[in-house]
């Protein structure tokens, strides 16, 4: 099972990825979680990434790819994985292709969480994370539009994109994902 979860902040990717990774016993790889942990631990990665994350900006591709090379270097990825919040730019998507090719690990499907913007803002404000202020939410959604939405087309051209209605309640999204992918586990 090798899935990429694509969608705006607040789409519910992380929630679904956690549940499914647990069910399918594959690692849930969230660049956001890795960055937050590094920032909290004040590691060199955390110090370099903090200003970007706090402002709702994207962390530079080079730093993100260093994280992913390290993460894909661990043994547990051989069982499969769910990527959540990565790739977020075309440069990252291309770099991921190269990385997977080297590792002989093709990705299976890309799940696109399609959610209306009013639902997103409501969910993000409810979540109450430190980078979930009115200001950064606006900036993160703007960046998503500019930098991440081109990936929808990028993966659609490869015929590996599955769209999920992210406006549905969490339990229904989970059922849909299970129905779509359980056969592949
Ligand atoms: P997330 O938890 O996925 O919403 O990520 C939180 C923050 O971490 C984002 O707003 C970015 O600042 C940073 N981040 C996470 N993943 C990436 C990525 N793939 N590329 C660049 N920045 C990222």
């Amino acid at each position: 099972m090798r899935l990429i979860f694509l969608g705006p902040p607040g789409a519910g990717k992380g929630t679904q990825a956690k549940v499914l990774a647990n069910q399918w016993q594959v690692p849930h790889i969230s660049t956001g979680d890795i960055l937050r942990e590094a920032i909290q631990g004040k590691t060199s990665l955390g110090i370099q990434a903090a200003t970007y994350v706090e402002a709702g900006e994207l962390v530079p591709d080079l730093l993100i790819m260093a994280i992913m090379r390290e993460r894909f270097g661990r043994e547990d990825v051989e069982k499969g994985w769910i990527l959540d919040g990565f790739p977020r730019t075309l440069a990252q998507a291309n770099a991921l292709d190269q990385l997977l090719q080297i590792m002989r690990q093709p990705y299976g499907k890309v799940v696109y969480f399609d959610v209306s913007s009013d639902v997103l803002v409501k969910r993000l404000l409810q979540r109450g994370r430190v980078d979930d202020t009115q200001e950064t939410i606006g900036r993160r959604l703007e960046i998503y539009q500019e930098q991440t939405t081109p990936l929808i087309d990028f993966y659609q051209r490869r015929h590996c994109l599955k769209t999920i209605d992210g406006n549905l309640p969490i339990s229904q999204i989970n059922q849909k994902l299970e129905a779509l992918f359980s056969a592949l586990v």
Side-chain angles (χ1 to χ4, degrees):
M1 176 61 60
R2 296 185 178 99
L3 293 181
I4 297 173
F5 280 6
L6 182 66
K13 305 183 298 289
T15 309
Q16 297 297 337
K18 268 193 201 87
V19 174
L20 293 173
N22 193 30
Q23 263 167 273
W24 295 334
Q25 291 295 298
V26 295
H28 163 212
I29 303 178
S30 152
T31 37
D33 284 351
I34 294 171
L35 289 167
R36 276 184 290 277
E37 205 173 295
I39 292 169
Q40 211 161 25
K42 296 198 167 63
T43 65
S44 124
L45 165 69
I47 291 162
Q48 290 178 79
T51 46
Y52 298 100
V53 174
E54 279 152 22
E57 301 288 334
L58 289 188
V59 173
D61 290 332
L62 275 178
L63 263 186
I64 296 291
M65 289 318 299
I67 294 174
M68 290 312 290
R69 268 193 300 277
E70 192 277 328
R71 187 61 189 83
F72 272 117
R74 294 202 221 153
E75 249 176 45
D76 63 351
V77 295
E78 279 164 28
K79 291 185 289 188
W81 31 259
I82 300 177
L83 301 188
D84 158 22
F86 170 87
R88 254 179 162 95
T89 63
L90 280 173
Q92 290 178 16
N94 282 311
L96 174 64
D97 273 356
Q98 281 177 11
L99 189 59
L100 294 178
Q101 221 165 13
I102 292 167
M103 295 178 48
R104 297 177 200 280
Q105 276 214 20
Y107 55 83
K109 293 277 179 219
V110 179
V111 181
Y112 166 50
F113 289 69
D114 191 10
V115 193
S116 65
S117 53
D118 48 329
V119 171
L120 287 179
V121 174
K122 213 163 92 190
R123 280 195 196 151
L124 288 167
L125 285 173
Q126 274 172 357
R127 195 164 69 172
R129 225 167 60 188
V130 275
D131 58 341
D132 283 340
T133 62
Q134 281 279 11
E135 260 173 33
T136 50
I137 288 173
R139 185 67 190 133
R140 271 161 47 225
L141 291 175
E142 212 172 81
I143 289 176
Y144 170 76
Q145 280 302 333
E146 279 166 20
Q147 310 246 36
T148 310
T149 53
L151 297 187
I152 299 168
D153 195 43
F154 178 89
Y155 288 120
Q156 210 150 31
R157 282 165 196 263
R158 296 172 181 214
H159 307 288
C160 58
L161 194 81
K162 289 267 177 207
T163 301
I164 286 274
D165 180 0
N167 298 303
L168 293 172
I170 290 174
S171 61
Q172 280 185 40
I173 300 178
N174 180 259
Q175 280 167 11
K176 280 187 188 287
L177 288 169
E178 268 188 40
L180 274 174
F181 298 117
S182 285
L184 301 178
V185 180

